[in-house]
Amino acid sequence: MPYPTIQLKFDQKLDQNLARDFYSYPEFGGCNFWEERALVHHPKLLEMNSLKNPESFLDKYITEFYVSHFEEMKKLSKKTANYLNQTHDSFFRVVDNIFNHYPWPRKKFIGCFSIFNFCPRFLDWGRFQVFIYDKPNLQLFTIFHELLHFIFYGFVQKTFPKKFKNLSTEEGKFWDLAEVFNAVIQNSDDFIKLHGQIENIGYPNHKSLILKGKDLWKKTPDLNQWIVEMMKVI
């Protein structure tokens, strides 16, 4: 079965919509996304705090940023695509082994570059975001992280339909499980070879679960059994 394709592109409208969302609802998983992943890179947006219509300011800022930095971002996007092209086949082979050749849920996934470091994924669209100004190995980490979500959620729902049928993929135990799985797997030797050692993988609220997940994977590197055992402690 052929591997899915990964298209990388810009989507300014998505960037603007998500920036408004994270400005309005910044807290998630023990992180303040607006402070830690927007203001750090765009301190001028601090001015929004004193404005009557901060979202208009935000939209204008993003539009002007895209215009003034687009050539620079295009060059960076080409570098990212080159790094991805060098590693994606190896990534898919590693995932095949973990998921016992479970089929990917889509033939194509789209990664949208962002000027912010939010990096959400959209299971229904087959899309995710990548921070354009991240280091190349961190961009690879993000791309592989989001792709793992797509196959993991599909695999779990297919393998354990009764247990996960009514669980949300956006919060709660199923979301916790998916994030902990990624943190464990992306700290394994196979993934370190792909994108290097990444420090502080995972959400702050998941630290203790990640440690349990790592220990369990070392003892039982079988995905089905790992899922069953982890759900007992989440």
Side-chain angles (χ1 to χ4, degrees), residues 8 11 20 25 33 36 38-40 42 44 74 80 90 93 95 98 108-109 139 146 179 182 197 205 233:
L8 299 176
D11 189 334
R20 288 195 295 269
Y25 306 99
F33 276 72
E36 299 171 22
L39 295 181
V40 167
H42 303 276
K44 186 174 176 61
K74 275 202 324 187
T80 305
S90 297
R93 285 193 291 269
V95 172
I98 295 170
K108 180 179 180 180
F109 295 96
Q139 290 180 323
E146 306 311 334
E179 293 297 340
N182 277 17
Q197 180 80 54
N205 289 356
V233 298

Side-chain angles (χ1 to χ4, degrees), residues 30-198:
C31 296
N32 187 307
F33 276 72
W34 186 250
E35 289 184 1
E36 299 171 22
R37 305 189 183 195
L39 295 181
V40 167
H41 306 291
H42 303 276
K44 186 174 176 61
L45 294 179
L46 283 165
E47 297 178 26
M48 293 170 63
N49 295 334
S50 60
L51 299 176
K52 291 183 178 179
N53 194 343
E55 291 190 353
S56 293
F57 180 90
L58 178 59
D59 278 346
K60 182 180 179 184
Y61 175 87
I62 294 172
T63 297
E64 292 177 349
F65 192 95
Y66 265 77
V67 171
S68 60
H69 293 77
F70 195 66
E71 289 304 316
E72 172 189 55
M73 293 194 295
K74 275 202 324 187
K75 290 180 182 178
L76 291 173
S77 72
K78 291 179 181 178
K79 291 183 179 180
T80 305
N82 286 336
Y83 281 111
L84 179 60
N85 288 338
Q86 294 169 21
T87 55
H88 61 54
D89 281 350
S90 297
F91 163 77
F92 285 125
R93 285 193 291 269
V94 170
V95 172
D96 269 351
N97 289 333
I98 295 170
F99 287 85
N100 196 24
H101 301 279
Y102 182 80
W104 283 86
R106 290 175 178 269
K107 295 180 180 179
K108 180 179 180 180
F109 295 96
I110 298 176
C112 299
F113 290 111
S114 174
I115 66 173
F116 303 103
N117 195 18
F118 303 136
C119 302
R121 86 293 183 274
F122 305 96
L123 297 177
D124 293 338
W125 305 353
R127 291 195 178 205
F128 57 91
Q129 279 195 318
V130 184
F131 182 37
I132 188 65
Y133 290 106
D134 232 343
K135 295 178 180 178
N137 70 308
L138 293 177
Q139 290 180 323
L140 286 180
F141 169 84
T142 297
I143 293 168
F144 296 154
H145 181 94
E146 306 311 334
L147 290 173
L148 279 171
H149 279 325
F150 290 109
I151 193 168
F152 182 81
Y153 279 113
F155 175 86
V156 173
Q157 289 169 328
K158 182 73 172 180
T159 308
F160 305 96
K162 292 183 179 180
K163 191 174 187 67
F164 289 89
K165 180 180 179 181
N166 296 318
L167 296 185
S168 172
T169 58
E170 307 308 309
E171 61 182 358
K173 290 186 175 183
F174 199 0
W175 178 80
D176 291 334
L177 181 71
E179 293 297 340
V180 171
F181 170 76
N182 277 17
V184 171
I185 292 301
Q186 290 194 266
N187 199 37
S188 66
D189 289 341
D190 284 335
F191 273 86
I192 291 172
K193 290 176 184 176
L194 291 172
H195 52 52
Q197 180 80 54
I198 308 297

